[in-house]
Amino acid sequence: MGLPAGLARTTRFNRFNRLHRIARLARIARAAAPRGAVAAAALLATVTLVGCPRESATRPAQDDSRSPGASQPVTPSSAPPSATSRAPVPAGVPRTVPGPRSATSVPGPGWRPAAGARVVTDPEGPLADEARLLAVELKMTAAGTPARPGDIELALRPGQSGGDEAYELTADDHKVLVTSAGEAGVFYGTRTLAQAVRSGGGLPEGVVRDAPDRGQRGLNLDIARKHFTAEWIEARIRELADLKLNQLGLHFSDDQGFRIESESHPEIVSPQHLTKAEVRRIVALADSLHITVVPEIDSPGHLGAVIKAHPGLQLKDASGTAARGAVDIANPEAARIVDDLLREYAPLFPGAYFHLGADEYRALMAKDPEASYPRLAQLARQRYGDRGRVQDLATAWLNDRAGVVRGLGKKPKAWNDGFFTGGVVSADKDIEVEYWTGKELGARDPQEYLNEGRRVVNLNDEYLYYVLGEPNQFRYPTGERIYRQWSPAVLRGTTAAPQDLTGPDRVTGGRLAVWCDFPDAQTPQQVADGIRLPLAAVAQRLWDPRPPTMPWKEFSALAGRVAP
């Protein structure tokens, strides 16, 4: 799947600043009673699913749709298409992945692309890029308002209900109107429209009101243990965008490699790596498609590439045996180097988050950390008193790194097995828990984190871990199993956590995760092919977490039809 490669859109290269120019347009309730022709038509069929944006009684005062002042077309356009040149689109719900959560079908011809049809919006406005992209996809022309029969109009409506990712898509009077309070919502409306054309030739007459159930939806990619080219990553970004997924995690530092160019510590960088210019290109493309790239520098474990260049940082147990990938957290030099890297890469990734890892620190995977690592145990008692333990040092390390990224304007994330209970030191409350396992030594039940009031993101290794080579009893996840059995509430194993603890404000989303434990087990193309249907299933369940009604065979066939 992929959007046109040539539309990385230089007008949005610095879009991080531009995104905030609209201040993400307030989440105030809005209305939008269907426009005259739709409201007057006799209702043919209504399909209403949970979680759709509610309407209020009046339309907001500021509405840039149907602007009376015509702008100059972006490109020359032909005469208006004939309103009767195409057969009516069959009534019903547009067939898309993910499927709309609310759609109302009314009598009418619907809308199909036709010769001379245009995608219209203010050519100098915030939706110009969305208009140009959709025009390329549907082989239409991008132009300025006003809309005429056959056209698609894109418009921002401050105050439209549902938030910046919610959208309303109306087919009426041989025209289509896509509106949202935010640019992302309009973009998702264009994804629904493009997929409806691919699956059914056009958009049925009526109104789609749609919004995601979870705010974080995406893919986690291990580029540390296996090098993926910038072009391959960009292809995955386009695939995510078409599925309305909005997050790409990049795990680029591990024992096997460090894969992004560094000026502060060039000695740790692997021969195969992404240049910063390539990363900027990746981030710019992602940003233009409303995807946030989340960088991860895992510490104090998984730092083998750093230790290779700085062997004095290696943690060793009481017998002198090296703890694989673990730095000695009693050594201030280890913290200095990691903080150098956090400060270097924060500006490269302008999104809201920075992932700090914190998982599988070898000292804490020992049955008796204090006996196995007596020097760490002694330091813990010196700092925290007689009750001080090695876990307190590790938790303080996590809090210190969180403080660094917080000072750089980032929200910290960490893996669930980096959070411990019963210690003198507790992990900062604002560190978001990325729950992946209940199998590691000391791993806690997800309900514990939720009971503490923490926000949790679902990366359940039972369903969402695509581990190359299938080590440690992992099996490649299937889209069908995710589609049938998983939901955001299924954080550990196959059992859902309590419903009252797993709403969108608590379990904020999830990601499919690719881990490259055996990097040569699959080629990049095999990885892309292998995650295609799992990604589609994850997109569906994060957009609408209820058990799907469409049979899997039909859904998987649809996923193939709507792919660009």
Side-chain angles (χ1 to χ4, degrees), residues 202-489:
L203 190 68
E205 195 89 357
V207 182
V208 173
R209 296 184 181 92
D210 201 11
D213 185 71
R214 306 289 157 146
Q216 298 188 54
R217 311 176 304 279
L219 172 67
N220 210 70
L221 183 61
D222 172 11
I223 64 172
R225 284 175 275 199
K226 183 179 181 70
H227 174 66
F228 292 94
T229 66
E231 291 76 16
W232 189 92
I233 296 170
E234 288 169 335
R236 304 288 73 72
I237 288 171
R238 296 185 186 97
E239 183 176 2
L240 298 179
D242 212 59
L243 293 168
K244 302 185 180 80
L245 296 170
N246 66 358
Q247 203 171 79
L248 173 67
L250 288 183
H251 174 93
F252 63 90
S253 168
D254 213 304
D255 298 343
Q256 295 83 353
F258 192 99
R259 303 289 182 179
I260 296 179
E261 174 189 358
S262 171
E263 282 92 31
S264 68
H265 290 282
E267 73 279 1
I268 70 175
V269 178
S270 302
Q272 281 190 312
H273 63 270
L274 298 172
T275 67
K276 285 191 174 179
E278 288 175 317
V279 173
R280 291 186 186 98
R281 196 178 81 203
I282 288 167
V283 170
L285 174 65
D287 185 63
S288 74
L289 299 176
H290 303 277
I291 292 170
T292 298
V293 182
V294 180
E296 180 191 352
I297 297 178
D298 203 343
S299 78
H302 294 278
L303 283 172
V306 174
I307 293 169
K308 183 178 179 180
H310 298 273
L313 302 182
Q314 177 76 66
L315 176 67
K316 297 180 179 179
D317 67 12
S319 68
T321 302
R324 180 169 60 86
V327 296
D328 183 354
I329 54 178
N331 186 341
E333 183 66 8
R336 185 189 70 79
I337 290 177
V338 171
D339 290 350
D340 285 347
L341 296 170
L342 295 175
R343 293 188 180 100
E344 178 179 3
Y345 290 108
L348 190 61
F349 296 94
Y353 296 99
F354 209 117
H355 202 307
L356 302 172
D359 63 313
E360 296 182 319
Y361 186 50
R362 292 288 167 176
L364 294 172
M365 297 174 72
K367 289 185 178 180
D368 187 343
E370 284 67 41
S372 297
Y373 297 90
R375 199 166 65 84
L376 291 182
Q378 181 182 9
L379 179 61
R381 289 191 296 271
Q382 289 175 356
R383 289 186 180 177
Y384 306 114
D386 291 343
R387 292 179 53 233
R389 291 183 286 171
V390 176
Q391 75 169 53
D392 295 308
L393 291 179
T395 302
W397 171 282
L398 172 60
N399 287 344
D400 288 345
R401 308 293 77 75
V404 171
V405 300
R406 202 180 291 117
L408 297 166
K410 307 296 184 185
K411 299 176 184 177
K413 290 173 172 281
W415 298 112
N416 69 285
D417 53 328
F419 294 77
F420 301 93
T421 186
V424 176
V425 182
S426 297
D428 293 344
K429 287 291 186 181
D430 68 331
I431 303 174
E432 198 165 74
V433 179
E434 302 247 321
Y435 197 97
W436 72 280
T437 187
K439 300 171 186 175
E440 295 286 339
L441 184 67
R444 298 160 56 195
D445 189 281
Q447 188 168 337
E448 292 186 35
Y449 304 94
L450 296 166
N451 287 340
E452 293 173 4
R454 296 186 181 276
R455 287 159 55 97
V456 177
V457 178
N458 190 328
L459 289 95
N460 183 344
D461 63 355
E462 177 70 26
Y463 291 98
L464 304 180
Y465 261 39
Y466 193 99
V467 185
L468 299 197
E470 301 184 312
N472 303 322
Q473 299 182 322
F474 282 111
R475 294 294 177 265
Y476 293 124
T478 67
E480 182 174 7
R481 189 163 182 253
I482 296 168
Y483 186 76
R484 291 179 182 274
Q485 300 177 13
W486 179 79
S487 75

Side-chain angles (χ1 to χ4, degrees), residues 16-106:
F16 180 67
N17 293 326
R18 201 179 141 199
L19 288 174
H20 297 289
R21 76 190 184 286
I22 298 196
R24 280 304 171 196
L25 301 169
R27 296 188 177 204
I28 309 166
R30 70 147 293 252
R35 290 172 291 132
V38 175
L43 182 65
L44 174 64
T46 301
V47 180
T48 303
L49 310 180
V50 297
C52 63
R54 292 190 296 271
E55 295 181 85
S56 58
T58 59
R59 184 183 298 273
Q62 298 299 319
D63 183 345
D64 69 351
S65 65
R66 302 297 186 251
S67 172
S71 303
Q72 292 298 315
V74 174
T75 58
S77 60
S78 57
S82 169
T84 59
S85 62
R86 299 296 180 94
V89 178
V93 180
R95 293 174 62 80
T96 64
V97 177
R101 296 172 67 195
S102 172
T104 300
S105 180
V106 301

